[in-house]
Amino acid sequence: MGMFLEAAAGFPTVLFTAALLVAVCFWLLVAVGVAGADSFDGDADLDVLGLGGMPVAVAFSLLTAVGWFSSLSATVLLDPVVPGGALRGLTDLAVLAASLVAAWRVTRVLVRPLHRLFPDEPGPSRADFVGLTCTIRTGRVDAEFGQAEVAALDGSTAVVQVRRQGDEPLGLGGTGLLYAYDEAGEFFWVAPYDPALDPRQAA
């Protein structure tokens, strides 16, 4: 154990050790909700390194962990056979360079399967349905009950909860306009749709 601790605190592994401590502290902040995994996404472009497709913090953490393990392992293995002096200094520099290259290559390989966990575009939001027309799928719609089918701009459809104010009839098969979303109740406010009043139809 003493050999590993000495290697982790010595050059070149100490560089990765310091970075690893920073990464661990960051993820602790993420765990308690103080920071987000994508906090640094606007500050760096990893595509030039072939590491695009995941948050910067994740890529940095992977690079650091792999580099730390590579450097620590190489240092422990070479320490008994490499004498001190200039040769030891050259060996340490070689270990540092090799660990950086190994970390980059391994992280590039890991990016491919992990990319699916971090989509480039945010998923559809319920707020995207506001302003769209819908087809009523229940026999009635009032302030307490109702469902409707709405088609998103990408062509997908969804059945959503709708509520209505007023006495104007709106029932099964009718066309309504989703004009607001209630976050607390998780439903849309809907009104009877009149094509004559839709400026898009006039255009």
Side-chain angles (χ1 to χ4, degrees), residues 63-89:
L63 279 167
T64 301
V66 176
W68 179 83
F69 180 78
S70 301
S71 179
L72 180 67
S73 301
T75 300
V76 170
L77 290 174
L78 294 175
D79 186 67
V81 297
V82 177
L87 183 58
R88 169 57 61 86

Side-chain angles (χ1 to χ4, degrees), residues 5 7 9 29 39 47-48 62 65 69 82 84 90 99 115 122 141 179-180:
L5 292 177
L29 293 176
S39 299
D47 289 338
V48 296
L62 286 173
F69 180 78
V82 177
L90 292 175
S99 298
H115 177 70
V141 177
Y179 64 88

Side-chain angles (χ1 to χ4, degrees), residues 7 13-15 26 38 42 53 67 70 90 98 111 138 140-141 147 150 165 183-184 190-191 194 198:
T13 310
V14 67
L15 300 177
F26 172 79
D38 56 353
S70 301
L90 292 175
V111 162
T138 51
R140 63 180 174 85
V141 177
Q147 288 185 334
V150 59
Q165 294 177 328
E183 292 282 355
V190 63
D194 186 351
D198 191 338

Side-chain angles (χ1 to χ4, degrees), residues 75-157:
T75 300
V76 170
L77 290 174
L78 294 175
D79 186 67
V81 297
V82 177
L87 183 58
R88 169 57 61 86
L90 292 175
T91 301
D92 289 342
L93 291 176
V95 168
L96 175 60
S99 298
L100 288 171
V101 172
W104 174 64
R105 288 185 177 275
V106 171
T107 303
R108 282 193 65 184
V109 172
L110 294 176
V111 162
R112 295 166 188 167
L114 290 176
H115 177 70
R116 292 173 295 188
L117 301 177
F118 304 99
D120 295 330
E121 298 296 333
S125 167
R126 291 175 178 173
D128 295 337
F129 291 139
V130 174
L132 300 180
T133 57
C134 63
T135 302
I136 305 304
R137 293 306 185 199
T138 51
R140 63 180 174 85
V141 177
D142 54 31
E144 301 295 333
F145 175 80
Q147 288 185 334
E149 183 177 356
V150 59
L153 297 177
D154 62 2
S156 62
T157 60

